[in-house]
């Protein structure tokens, strides 16, 4: 069951690294109430991004979800 999120988490990490390799990412092992609260840290500043468990699952296969999540990540990273 744990493994079902692995591909999505890996894809999320790739998205972040493609936007800014300096950002550190912490993704919880399991979602809380259907949401992953993901921590992004750069130069001592931390932001939190909430991504639904469905979006993480669909991230590797669904281009629309990938586009949406990439936009959210870009928006978050832009505020550092």
């Amino acid at each position: 069951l744990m493994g079902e999120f692995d591909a999505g988490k890996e894809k999320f990490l790739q998205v972040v690294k493609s936007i800014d390799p300096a950002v550190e990412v912490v993704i919880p092992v399991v979602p809380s109430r259907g949401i992953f609260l993901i921590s992004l840290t750069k130069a001592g500043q931390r932001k939190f991004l909430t991504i639904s468990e469905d979006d993480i699952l669909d991230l590797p296969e669904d281009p629309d979800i990938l586009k949406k999540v990439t936009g959210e990540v870009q928006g978050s990273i832009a505020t550092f």
Side-chain angles (χ1 to χ4, degrees):
L1 191 68
M2 301 281 254
E4 67 182 327
F5 294 113
D6 290 351
K9 288 179 180 182
E10 191 53 47
K11 189 69 181 174
F12 186 88
L13 289 173
Q14 288 170 8
V15 167
V16 173
K17 295 299 175 199
S18 72
I19 296 166
D20 188 340
V23 174
E24 291 174 39
V25 184
V26 178
I27 306 175
V29 176
V30 290
S32 169
R33 297 190 192 94
I35 297 286
F36 282 97
L37 183 63
I38 299 171
S39 145
L40 304 176
T41 308
K42 183 180 179 182
Q45 282 191 292
R46 181 173 291 154
K47 312 267 181 217
F48 288 97
L49 197 56
T50 54
I51 307 284
S52 79
E53 130 179 45
D54 288 342
D55 284 359
I56 290 288
L57 284 174
D58 295 340
L59 202 50
E61 288 98 32
D62 188 327
D64 292 336
I65 298 292
L66 179 59
K67 192 173 169 186
K68 181 182 90 164
V69 169
T70 301
E72 290 172 12
V73 171
Q74 282 171 327
S76 238
I77 288 177
T79 63
F80 276 118

